[in-house]
Amino acid sequence: MPMTHSRFDTRLGLTITLVVTAFLIGPVLLSVTAGLTKNYFVGLSSGLTLDWVTQVWDLYADTIWRSYGVALATLATTTLIGVPAAWVLTLFPGRLSRLLEELLTLPVAVPGLATALALIVSWGSVGWLRSSVLFIVIGHVLFTLPFMVRAVRAGMQGADLVVLDEAAATLGASRRQRFFDIIVPAARSGIVTGALTVVTLSIGEFNLTWLLHTPLTKTLPVGLADSYASMRLEVASAYTLVFLLMLLPLMVGLQWFAARTTRTGSITLGAST
């Protein structure tokens, strides 16, 4: 009898998983199909073509590379700021640390449009900054920094690095040595997890970017929205296909790197203990 219930639960769980997966992936597959069809309203009988993909690449290739540049710049900045910030919050817990962490997560709670408007009011009068990609990078850093800090801090707390830091200090290691030789390597799984989150959020961020961008600093999601609004359905769908082809390999690569880093870190930690 328990075996029957177990098989029923397994089949029910598998069925629910397949239904949810089909619900999520189905619209994406239909959109991709539309981008490869000569005439979507006629259907597949009209034939398949790569003309729409070529047209998207000719019109919007600059938005793709710009999005990659913004994501990498955002990742570099959040790493340089977020890792030390996470270590300080871990090293000095208390009310002040909790208050700082809450203030740090404020841009996540506030709508992206409100954050973008605040940046425009504060720095929009600086002409060179307002018309540069750096303005978008600043907005993305404000939006993604809390995710980096929380991921890295979770890794630091799980590894009990405060104890290791104190032990290294008693052996005469300087604060710089302790940070780069002990803290950063031990927290690398959290750093990689935060990096994965930052890159994917930055590439796909639209609300904040839409208000901060100019015609010369358009990113991939903004270009995607522009194609939906001004082009025929096949072009917009082809843009979705290009978006997936550019994003999925990056996500898979980062996931693989995160899994490998976590596994290597576990082996190293086990060997050291």
Side-chain angles (χ1 to χ4, degrees), residues 67-99:
S67 290
Y68 271 131
V70 169
L72 292 176
T74 301
L75 174 60
T77 306
T78 53
T79 302
L80 291 175
I81 298 175
V83 176
W87 177 231
V88 171
L89 293 175
T90 303
L91 197 59
F92 303 103
R95 290 184 178 181
L96 181 59
S97 294
R98 289 194 296 269
L99 177 61

Side-chain angles (χ1 to χ4, degrees), residues 117 136 179 190 196 230 268:
L117 182 60
I136 298 176
F179 181 75
L196 174 64
S230 59
T268 304

Side-chain angles (χ1 to χ4, degrees), residues 110-120 207-208 211:
V110 175
L113 292 177
T115 302
L117 182 60
L119 286 174
I120 292 174
N207 290 332
L208 187 147
L211 201 57

Side-chain angles (χ1 to χ4, degrees), residues 107-192:
V108 178
V110 175
L113 292 177
T115 302
L117 182 60
L119 286 174
I120 292 174
V121 171
S122 302
W123 302 101
S125 59
V126 182
W128 68 268
L129 180 63
R130 179 67 183 92
S131 59
S132 70
V133 178
L134 179 60
F135 202 45
I136 298 176
V137 173
I138 293 173
H140 283 211
V141 169
L142 289 176
F143 177 66
T144 59
L145 183 60
F147 296 95
M148 173 63 80
V149 172
R150 292 215 163 178
V152 175
R153 192 180 182 195
M156 290 178 174
Q157 290 174 329
D160 200 12
L161 293 184
V162 175
V163 176
L164 293 176
D165 180 73
E166 292 175 352
T170 59
L171 295 175
S174 65
R175 185 174 296 277
R176 180 182 178 279
Q177 289 175 323
R178 300 198 308 267
F179 181 75
F180 287 103
D181 297 338
I182 297 175
I183 306 305
V184 172
R188 58 184 173 183
S189 61
I191 296 173
V192 173

Side-chain angles (χ1 to χ4, degrees), residues 174 233 250 260:
S174 65
L233 180 62
L250 178 62
R260 183 177 180 180

